[in-house]
């Protein structure tokens, strides 16, 4: 989901910044092929330190340089279930947090993880291997194994 969000980013994403009609049209008509090509290009050119604030591995925010967790697992909010996690966090601290509204909604198509081809997913998984390992995200191989009938 995070890589798809980077693609849709209006400041650094595909066809961004969309200040003219040509770029706005390009973003509005984006395809899954555009998504995969753009992500592969960006990830292959990725340099550290992450100068523009994009594509920063998420484990940097949760674990120290020695792999010790400094954010309790129950306080980690996941984008794919953000409203639920935020509600639970608020409840633990006695704070009512209303559901988040959608703001800055783009005219770009909404893509899903299933729109990523195997090469792009593999590149994402290798680039962010520590995020997958430390934060428990499923990889392609794990997902396909869990879906088999054997």
């Amino acid at each position: 989901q995070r890589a798809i969000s980077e693609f849709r980013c209006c400041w650094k994403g595909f066809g961004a910044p969309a200040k003219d009609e040509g770029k706005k049209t390009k973003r509005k008509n984006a395809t899954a092929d555009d998504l995969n090509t753009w992500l592969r290009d960006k990830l292959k050119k990725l340099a550290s330190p992450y100068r523009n604030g994009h594509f920063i591995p998420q484990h940097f925010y949760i674990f120290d340089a020695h792999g010790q967790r400094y954010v309790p697992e129950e306080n980690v909010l996941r984008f794919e279930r953000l409203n639920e996690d935020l509600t639970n966090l608020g409840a633990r601290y006695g704070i009512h947090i209303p559901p988040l509204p959608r703001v800055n909604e783009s005219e770009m198509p909404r893509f899903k993880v299933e729109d990523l081809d195997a090469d792009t997913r593999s590149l994402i998984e290798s680039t962010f291997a520590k995020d997958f390992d430390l934060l428990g995200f499923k990889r392609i191989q794990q997902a396909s194994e869990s879906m088999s009938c054997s």
Side-chain angles (χ1 to χ4, degrees), residues 57-73 76 78 130-137:
Q58 299 302 286
H59 72 273
F60 287 169
Y61 297 104
I62 300 167
F63 296 87
D64 67 18
H66 306 288
Q68 297 296 309
R69 179 182 280 277
Y70 55 88
V71 175
E73 188 170 351
V76 174
R78 294 188 183 250
K130 274 193 153 180
D131 282 356
F132 280 86
D133 293 341
L134 294 171
L135 301 172
F137 292 107

PDB file of all heavy atoms in Angstrom, residues 57-73 76 78 130-137:
ATOM      1  N   PRO A  57      12.377   3.542   4.855  1.00  0.00           N
ATOM      2  CA  PRO A  57      11.901   2.306   5.480  1.00  0.00           C
ATOM      3  C   PRO A  57      11.199   2.603   6.805  1.00  0.00           C
ATOM      4  O   PRO A  57      11.675   3.398   7.621  1.00  0.00           O
ATOM      5  CB  PRO A  57      13.189   1.508   5.701  1.00  0.00           C
ATOM      6  CG  PRO A  57      14.128   2.016   4.640  1.00  0.00           C
ATOM      7  CD  PRO A  57      13.803   3.485   4.535  1.00  0.00           C
ATOM      8  N   GLN A  58      10.065   1.985   7.011  1.00  0.00           N
ATOM      9  CA  GLN A  58       9.240   2.285   8.186  1.00  0.00           C
ATOM     10  C   GLN A  58       9.825   1.763   9.485  1.00  0.00           C
ATOM     11  O   GLN A  58       9.539   2.296  10.553  1.00  0.00           O
ATOM     12  CB  GLN A  58       7.825   1.759   7.969  1.00  0.00           C
ATOM     13  CG  GLN A  58       7.128   2.394   6.780  1.00  0.00           C
ATOM     14  CD  GLN A  58       7.046   3.909   6.902  1.00  0.00           C
ATOM     15  OE1 GLN A  58       6.269   4.418   7.679  1.00  0.00           O
ATOM     16  NE2 GLN A  58       7.865   4.626   6.151  1.00  0.00           N
ATOM     17  N   HIS A  59      10.666   0.738   9.406  1.00  0.00           N
ATOM     18  CA  HIS A  59      11.258   0.231  10.650  1.00  0.00           C
ATOM     19  C   HIS A  59      12.163   1.267  11.313  1.00  0.00           C
ATOM     20  O   HIS A  59      12.391   1.209  12.517  1.00  0.00           O
ATOM     21  CB  HIS A  59      12.001  -1.099  10.405  1.00  0.00           C
ATOM     22  CG  HIS A  59      13.276  -0.961   9.652  1.00  0.00           C
ATOM     23  ND1 HIS A  59      13.322  -0.978   8.277  1.00  0.00           N
ATOM     24  CD2 HIS A  59      14.546  -0.801  10.068  1.00  0.00           C
ATOM     25  CE1 HIS A  59      14.579  -0.844   7.879  1.00  0.00           C
ATOM     26  NE2 HIS A  59      15.342  -0.727   8.952  1.00  0.00           N
ATOM     27  N   PHE A  60      12.660   2.246  10.549  1.00  0.00           N
ATOM     28  CA  PHE A  60      13.474   3.307  11.144  1.00  0.00           C
ATOM     29  C   PHE A  60      12.706   4.089  12.202  1.00  0.00           C
ATOM     30  O   PHE A  60      13.300   4.659  13.109  1.00  0.00           O
ATOM     31  CB  PHE A  60      13.953   4.293  10.071  1.00  0.00           C
ATOM     32  CG  PHE A  60      15.042   3.782   9.168  1.00  0.00           C
ATOM     33  CD1 PHE A  60      15.385   4.492   8.039  1.00  0.00           C
ATOM     34  CD2 PHE A  60      15.728   2.600   9.421  1.00  0.00           C
ATOM     35  CE1 PHE A  60      16.386   4.051   7.188  1.00  0.00           C
ATOM     36  CE2 PHE A  60      16.730   2.146   8.574  1.00  0.00           C
ATOM     37  CZ  PHE A  60      17.057   2.878   7.455  1.00  0.00           C
ATOM     38  N   TYR A  61      11.389   4.141  12.076  1.00  0.00           N
ATOM     39  CA  TYR A  61      10.555   4.885  13.018  1.00  0.00           C
ATOM     40  C   TYR A  61      10.201   4.065  14.253  1.00  0.00           C
ATOM     41  O   TYR A  61       9.676   4.610  15.220  1.00  0.00           O
ATOM     42  CB  TYR A  61       9.250   5.327  12.344  1.00  0.00           C
ATOM     43  CG  TYR A  61       9.459   6.282  11.195  1.00  0.00           C
ATOM     44  CD1 TYR A  61       9.341   5.851   9.883  1.00  0.00           C
ATOM     45  CD2 TYR A  61       9.783   7.615  11.423  1.00  0.00           C
ATOM     46  CE1 TYR A  61       9.529   6.719   8.819  1.00  0.00           C
ATOM     47  CE2 TYR A  61       9.984   8.492  10.373  1.00  0.00           C
ATOM     48  CZ  TYR A  61       9.852   8.042   9.075  1.00  0.00           C
ATOM     49  OH  TYR A  61      10.046   8.907   8.026  1.00  0.00           O
ATOM     50  N   ILE A  62      10.454   2.761  14.228  1.00  0.00           N
ATOM     51  CA  ILE A  62       9.956   1.860  15.269  1.00  0.00           C
ATOM     52  C   ILE A  62      11.070   1.130  16.015  1.00  0.00           C
ATOM     53  O   ILE A  62      10.944   0.814  17.184  1.00  0.00           O
ATOM     54  CB  ILE A  62       8.979   0.842  14.633  1.00  0.00           C
ATOM     55  CG1 ILE A  62       7.814   1.618  14.006  1.00  0.00           C
ATOM     56  CG2 ILE A  62       8.469  -0.160  15.656  1.00  0.00           C
ATOM     57  CD1 ILE A  62       6.951   0.787  13.087  1.00  0.00           C
ATOM     58  N   PHE A  63      12.197   0.882  15.322  1.00  0.00           N
ATOM     59  CA  PHE A  63      13.317   0.151  15.908  1.00  0.00           C
ATOM     60  C   PHE A  63      14.567   1.007  15.860  1.00  0.00           C
ATOM     61  O   PHE A  63      14.762   1.789  14.933  1.00  0.00           O
ATOM     62  CB  PHE A  63      13.578  -1.145  15.113  1.00  0.00           C
ATOM     63  CG  PHE A  63      12.444  -2.122  15.166  1.00  0.00           C
ATOM     64  CD1 PHE A  63      11.405  -2.055  14.258  1.00  0.00           C
ATOM     65  CD2 PHE A  63      12.416  -3.118  16.132  1.00  0.00           C
ATOM     66  CE1 PHE A  63      10.355  -2.957  14.296  1.00  0.00           C
ATOM     67  CE2 PHE A  63      11.372  -4.027  16.186  1.00  0.00           C
ATOM     68  CZ  PHE A  63      10.333  -3.951  15.268  1.00  0.00           C
ATOM     69  N   ASP A  64      15.454   0.814  16.867  1.00  0.00           N
ATOM     70  CA  ASP A  64      16.713   1.558  16.839  1.00  0.00           C
ATOM     71  C   ASP A  64      17.721   0.829  15.942  1.00  0.00           C
ATOM     72  O   ASP A  64      17.411  -0.207  15.351  1.00  0.00           O
ATOM     73  CB  ASP A  64      17.249   1.788  18.255  1.00  0.00           C
ATOM     74  CG  ASP A  64      17.692   0.520  18.976  1.00  0.00           C
ATOM     75  OD1 ASP A  64      17.924  -0.519  18.316  1.00  0.00           O
ATOM     76  OD2 ASP A  64      17.817   0.575  20.211  1.00  0.00           O
ATOM     77  N   ALA A  65      18.933   1.357  15.863  1.00  0.00           N
ATOM     78  CA  ALA A  65      19.956   0.805  14.973  1.00  0.00           C
ATOM     79  C   ALA A  65      20.375  -0.611  15.351  1.00  0.00           C
ATOM     80  O   ALA A  65      20.958  -1.325  14.537  1.00  0.00           O
ATOM     81  CB  ALA A  65      21.176   1.723  14.953  1.00  0.00           C
ATOM     82  N   HIS A  66      20.062  -1.028  16.569  1.00  0.00           N
ATOM     83  CA  HIS A  66      20.416  -2.372  17.036  1.00  0.00           C
ATOM     84  C   HIS A  66      19.237  -3.338  16.954  1.00  0.00           C
ATOM     85  O   HIS A  66      19.322  -4.451  17.455  1.00  0.00           O
ATOM     86  CB  HIS A  66      20.948  -2.305  18.468  1.00  0.00           C
ATOM     87  CG  HIS A  66      22.083  -1.333  18.615  1.00  0.00           C
ATOM     88  ND1 HIS A  66      23.351  -1.569  18.112  1.00  0.00           N
ATOM     89  CD2 HIS A  66      22.127  -0.108  19.174  1.00  0.00           C
ATOM     90  CE1 HIS A  66      24.122  -0.535  18.370  1.00  0.00           C
ATOM     91  NE2 HIS A  66      23.410   0.371  19.005  1.00  0.00           N
ATOM     92  N   GLY A  67      18.141  -2.884  16.369  1.00  0.00           N
ATOM     93  CA  GLY A  67      16.971  -3.752  16.219  1.00  0.00           C
ATOM     94  C   GLY A  67      16.076  -3.818  17.431  1.00  0.00           C
ATOM     95  O   GLY A  67      15.162  -4.635  17.492  1.00  0.00           O
ATOM     96  N   GLN A  68      16.331  -2.946  18.401  1.00  0.00           N
ATOM     97  CA  GLN A  68      15.495  -2.909  19.595  1.00  0.00           C
ATOM     98  C   GLN A  68      14.278  -2.026  19.343  1.00  0.00           C
ATOM     99  O   GLN A  68      14.406  -0.890  18.892  1.00  0.00           O
ATOM    100  CB  GLN A  68      16.288  -2.373  20.806  1.00  0.00           C
ATOM    101  CG  GLN A  68      17.461  -3.252  21.196  1.00  0.00           C
ATOM    102  CD  GLN A  68      17.000  -4.623  21.658  1.00  0.00           C
ATOM    103  OE1 GLN A  68      16.130  -4.738  22.518  1.00  0.00           O
ATOM    104  NE2 GLN A  68      17.572  -5.667  21.071  1.00  0.00           N
ATOM    105  N   ARG A  69      13.103  -2.557  19.650  1.00  0.00           N
ATOM    106  CA  ARG A  69      11.855  -1.828  19.445  1.00  0.00           C
ATOM    107  C   ARG A  69      11.751  -0.689  20.463  1.00  0.00           C
ATOM    108  O   ARG A  69      11.940  -0.902  21.645  1.00  0.00           O
ATOM    109  CB  ARG A  69      10.678  -2.799  19.612  1.00  0.00           C
ATOM    110  CG  ARG A  69       9.324  -2.166  19.439  1.00  0.00           C
ATOM    111  CD  ARG A  69       8.209  -3.183  19.677  1.00  0.00           C
ATOM    112  NE  ARG A  69       7.992  -4.021  18.521  1.00  0.00           N
ATOM    113  CZ  ARG A  69       7.237  -3.669  17.477  1.00  0.00           C
ATOM    114  NH1 ARG A  69       6.632  -2.510  17.464  1.00  0.00           N
ATOM    115  NH2 ARG A  69       7.095  -4.478  16.451  1.00  0.00           N
ATOM    116  N   TYR A  70      11.463   0.519  19.995  1.00  0.00           N
ATOM    117  CA  TYR A  70      11.200   1.615  20.922  1.00  0.00           C
ATOM    118  C   TYR A  70       9.797   2.180  20.790  1.00  0.00           C
ATOM    119  O   TYR A  70       9.413   3.073  21.541  1.00  0.00           O
ATOM    120  CB  TYR A  70      12.270   2.717  20.875  1.00  0.00           C
ATOM    121  CG  TYR A  70      12.560   3.348  19.540  1.00  0.00           C
ATOM    122  CD1 TYR A  70      11.845   4.435  19.091  1.00  0.00           C
ATOM    123  CD2 TYR A  70      13.581   2.864  18.739  1.00  0.00           C
ATOM    124  CE1 TYR A  70      12.124   5.024  17.877  1.00  0.00           C
ATOM    125  CE2 TYR A  70      13.878   3.462  17.521  1.00  0.00           C
ATOM    126  CZ  TYR A  70      13.153   4.527  17.101  1.00  0.00           C
ATOM    127  OH  TYR A  70      13.439   5.119  15.896  1.00  0.00           O
ATOM    128  N   VAL A  71       9.000   1.653  19.880  1.00  0.00           N
ATOM    129  CA  VAL A  71       7.572   1.976  19.810  1.00  0.00           C
ATOM    130  C   VAL A  71       6.829   0.672  20.086  1.00  0.00           C
ATOM    131  O   VAL A  71       7.007  -0.307  19.359  1.00  0.00           O
ATOM    132  CB  VAL A  71       7.177   2.527  18.419  1.00  0.00           C
ATOM    133  CG1 VAL A  71       5.671   2.743  18.337  1.00  0.00           C
ATOM    134  CG2 VAL A  71       7.916   3.824  18.121  1.00  0.00           C
ATOM    135  N   PRO A  72       6.022   0.625  21.142  1.00  0.00           N
ATOM    136  CA  PRO A  72       5.297  -0.619  21.449  1.00  0.00           C
ATOM    137  C   PRO A  72       4.429  -1.051  20.264  1.00  0.00           C
ATOM    138  O   PRO A  72       3.849  -0.228  19.561  1.00  0.00           O
ATOM    139  CB  PRO A  72       4.423  -0.240  22.647  1.00  0.00           C
ATOM    140  CG  PRO A  72       5.047   0.988  23.220  1.00  0.00           C
ATOM    141  CD  PRO A  72       5.720   1.692  22.084  1.00  0.00           C
ATOM    142  N   GLU A  73       4.376  -2.359  20.049  1.00  0.00           N
ATOM    143  CA  GLU A  73       3.630  -2.895  18.907  1.00  0.00           C
ATOM    144  C   GLU A  73       2.195  -2.390  18.870  1.00  0.00           C
ATOM    145  O   GLU A  73       1.658  -2.082  17.816  1.00  0.00           O
ATOM    146  CB  GLU A  73       3.639  -4.424  18.934  1.00  0.00           C
ATOM    147  CG  GLU A  73       3.046  -5.021  17.694  1.00  0.00           C
ATOM    148  CD  GLU A  73       3.272  -6.519  17.591  1.00  0.00           C
ATOM    149  OE1 GLU A  73       4.034  -7.066  18.386  1.00  0.00           O
ATOM    150  OE2 GLU A  73       2.671  -7.114  16.688  1.00  0.00           O
ATOM    151  N   VAL A  76       1.702   0.942  17.005  1.00  0.00           N
ATOM    152  CA  VAL A  76       2.031   1.056  15.581  1.00  0.00           C
ATOM    153  C   VAL A  76       0.726   1.052  14.799  1.00  0.00           C
ATOM    154  O   VAL A  76      -0.088   0.139  14.918  1.00  0.00           O
ATOM    155  CB  VAL A  76       2.941  -0.108  15.124  1.00  0.00           C
ATOM    156  CG1 VAL A  76       3.148  -0.053  13.611  1.00  0.00           C
ATOM    157  CG2 VAL A  76       4.275  -0.045  15.853  1.00  0.00           C
ATOM    158  N   ARG A  78      -1.221   0.928  11.260  1.00  0.00           N
ATOM    159  CA  ARG A  78      -1.030   0.440   9.890  1.00  0.00           C
ATOM    160  C   ARG A  78      -2.027   1.122   8.958  1.00  0.00           C
ATOM    161  O   ARG A  78      -3.209   1.195   9.258  1.00  0.00           O
ATOM    162  CB  ARG A  78      -1.193  -1.071   9.831  1.00  0.00           C
ATOM    163  CG  ARG A  78      -0.092  -1.778  10.603  1.00  0.00           C
ATOM    164  CD  ARG A  78      -0.156  -3.253  10.375  1.00  0.00           C
ATOM    165  NE  ARG A  78       0.839  -3.921  11.174  1.00  0.00           N
ATOM    166  CZ  ARG A  78       1.914  -4.510  10.675  1.00  0.00           C
ATOM    167  NH1 ARG A  78       2.122  -4.520   9.374  1.00  0.00           N
ATOM    168  NH2 ARG A  78       2.771  -5.106  11.460  1.00  0.00           N
ATOM    169  N   LYS A 130      13.674  -5.477   5.566  1.00  0.00           N
ATOM    170  CA  LYS A 130      13.609  -5.315   7.031  1.00  0.00           C
ATOM    171  C   LYS A 130      12.215  -4.912   7.487  1.00  0.00           C
ATOM    172  O   LYS A 130      11.764  -5.340   8.542  1.00  0.00           O
ATOM    173  CB  LYS A 130      14.649  -4.306   7.516  1.00  0.00           C
ATOM    174  CG  LYS A 130      15.994  -4.916   7.776  1.00  0.00           C
ATOM    175  CD  LYS A 130      16.855  -3.930   8.538  1.00  0.00           C
ATOM    176  CE  LYS A 130      17.872  -4.701   9.350  1.00  0.00           C
ATOM    177  NZ  LYS A 130      18.731  -3.798  10.114  1.00  0.00           N
ATOM    178  N   ASP A 131      11.528  -4.079   6.710  1.00  0.00           N
ATOM    179  CA  ASP A 131      10.147  -3.726   7.059  1.00  0.00           C
ATOM    180  C   ASP A 131       9.272  -4.970   7.050  1.00  0.00           C
ATOM    181  O   ASP A 131       8.484  -5.195   7.962  1.00  0.00           O
ATOM    182  CB  ASP A 131       9.578  -2.691   6.087  1.00  0.00           C
ATOM    183  CG  ASP A 131      10.064  -1.273   6.354  1.00  0.00           C
ATOM    184  OD1 ASP A 131      10.790  -1.053   7.336  1.00  0.00           O
ATOM    185  OD2 ASP A 131       9.704  -0.390   5.552  1.00  0.00           O
ATOM    186  N   PHE A 132       9.423  -5.804   6.009  1.00  0.00           N
ATOM    187  CA  PHE A 132       8.629  -7.029   5.927  1.00  0.00           C
ATOM    188  C   PHE A 132       8.942  -7.947   7.109  1.00  0.00           C
ATOM    189  O   PHE A 132       8.035  -8.496   7.732  1.00  0.00           O
ATOM    190  CB  PHE A 132       8.876  -7.757   4.601  1.00  0.00           C
ATOM    191  CG  PHE A 132       8.102  -7.180   3.452  1.00  0.00           C
ATOM    192  CD1 PHE A 132       8.596  -6.109   2.725  1.00  0.00           C
ATOM    193  CD2 PHE A 132       6.868  -7.692   3.100  1.00  0.00           C
ATOM    194  CE1 PHE A 132       7.877  -5.566   1.667  1.00  0.00           C
ATOM    195  CE2 PHE A 132       6.131  -7.156   2.045  1.00  0.00           C
ATOM    196  CZ  PHE A 132       6.652  -6.093   1.334  1.00  0.00           C
ATOM    197  N   ASP A 133      10.223  -8.098   7.418  1.00  0.00           N
ATOM    198  CA  ASP A 133      10.628  -8.999   8.499  1.00  0.00           C
ATOM    199  C   ASP A 133      10.205  -8.486   9.877  1.00  0.00           C
ATOM    200  O   ASP A 133       9.610  -9.223  10.659  1.00  0.00           O
ATOM    201  CB  ASP A 133      12.148  -9.204   8.483  1.00  0.00           C
ATOM    202  CG  ASP A 133      12.633  -9.951   7.252  1.00  0.00           C
ATOM    203  OD1 ASP A 133      11.802 -10.625   6.597  1.00  0.00           O
ATOM    204  OD2 ASP A 133      13.833  -9.844   6.945  1.00  0.00           O
ATOM    205  N   LEU A 134      10.527  -7.238  10.160  1.00  0.00           N
ATOM    206  CA  LEU A 134      10.283  -6.696  11.505  1.00  0.00           C
ATOM    207  C   LEU A 134       8.819  -6.344  11.760  1.00  0.00           C
ATOM    208  O   LEU A 134       8.363  -6.374  12.894  1.00  0.00           O
ATOM    209  CB  LEU A 134      11.162  -5.463  11.742  1.00  0.00           C
ATOM    210  CG  LEU A 134      12.668  -5.735  11.783  1.00  0.00           C
ATOM    211  CD1 LEU A 134      13.440  -4.419  11.813  1.00  0.00           C
ATOM    212  CD2 LEU A 134      13.031  -6.600  12.989  1.00  0.00           C
ATOM    213  N   LEU A 135       8.084  -6.009  10.699  1.00  0.00           N
ATOM    214  CA  LEU A 135       6.701  -5.574  10.881  1.00  0.00           C
ATOM    215  C   LEU A 135       5.680  -6.630  10.472  1.00  0.00           C
ATOM    216  O   LEU A 135       4.471  -6.404  10.555  1.00  0.00           O
ATOM    217  CB  LEU A 135       6.466  -4.255  10.128  1.00  0.00           C
ATOM    218  CG  LEU A 135       7.383  -3.114  10.590  1.00  0.00           C
ATOM    219  CD1 LEU A 135       7.258  -1.911   9.696  1.00  0.00           C
ATOM    220  CD2 LEU A 135       7.101  -2.754  12.035  1.00  0.00           C
ATOM    221  N   GLY A 136       6.161  -7.793  10.026  1.00  0.00           N
ATOM    222  CA  GLY A 136       5.276  -8.928   9.781  1.00  0.00           C
ATOM    223  C   GLY A 136       4.419  -8.857   8.532  1.00  0.00           C
ATOM    224  O   GLY A 136       3.351  -9.462   8.483  1.00  0.00           O
ATOM    225  N   PHE A 137       4.871  -8.155   7.501  1.00  0.00           N
ATOM    226  CA  PHE A 137       4.109  -8.123   6.257  1.00  0.00           C
ATOM    227  C   PHE A 137       4.357  -9.399   5.469  1.00  0.00           C
ATOM    228  O   PHE A 137       5.464  -9.932   5.471  1.00  0.00           O
ATOM    229  CB  PHE A 137       4.500  -6.914   5.401  1.00  0.00           C
ATOM    230  CG  PHE A 137       4.083  -5.603   5.998  1.00  0.00           C
ATOM    231  CD1 PHE A 137       5.023  -4.745   6.549  1.00  0.00           C
ATOM    232  CD2 PHE A 137       2.752  -5.233   6.012  1.00  0.00           C
ATOM    233  CE1 PHE A 137       4.640  -3.540   7.105  1.00  0.00           C
ATOM    234  CE2 PHE A 137       2.356  -4.026   6.563  1.00  0.00           C
ATOM    235  CZ  PHE A 137       3.301  -3.183   7.115  1.00  0.00           C
TER     236      PHE A 137
END
